[in-house]
Amino acid sequence: MSDTIRILGLDPGLRNTGWGMIASTGTQLSYIASGVVTSDGKDDLASRLKSLHDGIWEIVRAYAPDEVSVEETFVNKDAQATLKLGHARAMSLLVPALAGLPVAEYGANQVKKTVVGVGHADKKQVQAMVRILLPKSTPPTADAADALAIAIAHAHQRKARNLAADMARRPATGTAGA
């Protein structure tokens, strides 16, 4: 019986949605693939969202992940940009849900803290740690490297959640009043 879990990380963006596939077996992480799903900035919003939907669907179909992790939206001062990012993020949540896959969400600082050890690490530090943790990885863009970092964070976080769940299920040992 294999305890390998295939994790797809998604870094949503309306123009470029980064993706990264890893396998997690025990404490071992291995690189599978990474890339970017793009939409044409000249197209209307509906067409761009369809491009993202179709691209993410193709990745899910081709790589058959067991679980998906998505970066949460970073809210900035530009409400329009945040709203557009939210639309792209919706595609990153919807496609795996339609495929019946569990989806976890992580904030950018949580991903950075998990992967680098510092919640406010810069992109270069994240990319360097991705290369260390996944030495065979060849992410073509920063978006793809970020998606791999999201998948790595999920692999580590799921182990912690599973350990906590196992501990909660174990009966208490010892004797009272002995």
Side-chain angles (χ1 to χ4, degrees), residues 10-19 36-40 45 48-49 51-53 56 70-73 81-93 143-144 146-147 150:
L10 294 170
D11 181 26
L14 188 56
R15 184 175 306 266
N16 298 306
T17 290
W19 64 272
V36 178
V37 176
T38 61
S39 73
D40 189 337
L45 180 60
R48 294 178 76 182
L49 294 175
S51 293
L52 294 178
H53 173 279
I56 296 167
V70 178
E71 188 171 76
E72 292 177 344
T73 300
T82 301
L83 185 59
K84 287 178 180 178
L85 178 58
H87 292 316
R89 192 167 171 279
M91 292 301 102
S92 295
L93 295 169
D143 295 312
D146 288 348
I150 295 161

Side-chain angles (χ1 to χ4, degrees), residues 54-123:
D54 294 349
I56 296 167
W57 183 257
E58 183 57 31
I59 292 160
V60 167
R61 188 196 62 71
Y63 292 99
D66 298 304
E67 299 177 4
V68 178
S69 53
V70 178
E71 188 171 76
E72 292 177 344
T73 300
F74 176 79
V75 179
N76 59 37
K77 294 177 184 176
D78 183 352
Q80 280 297 105
T82 301
L83 185 59
K84 287 178 180 178
L85 178 58
H87 292 316
R89 192 167 171 279
M91 292 301 102
S92 295
L93 295 169
L94 176 65
V95 172
L98 289 172
L101 297 170
V103 180
E105 302 174 67
Y106 299 97
N109 286 344
Q110 185 179 12
V111 171
K112 292 173 183 177
K113 183 151 182 74
T114 303
V115 174
V116 179
V118 179
H120 295 286
D122 64 34
K123 281 194 175 283

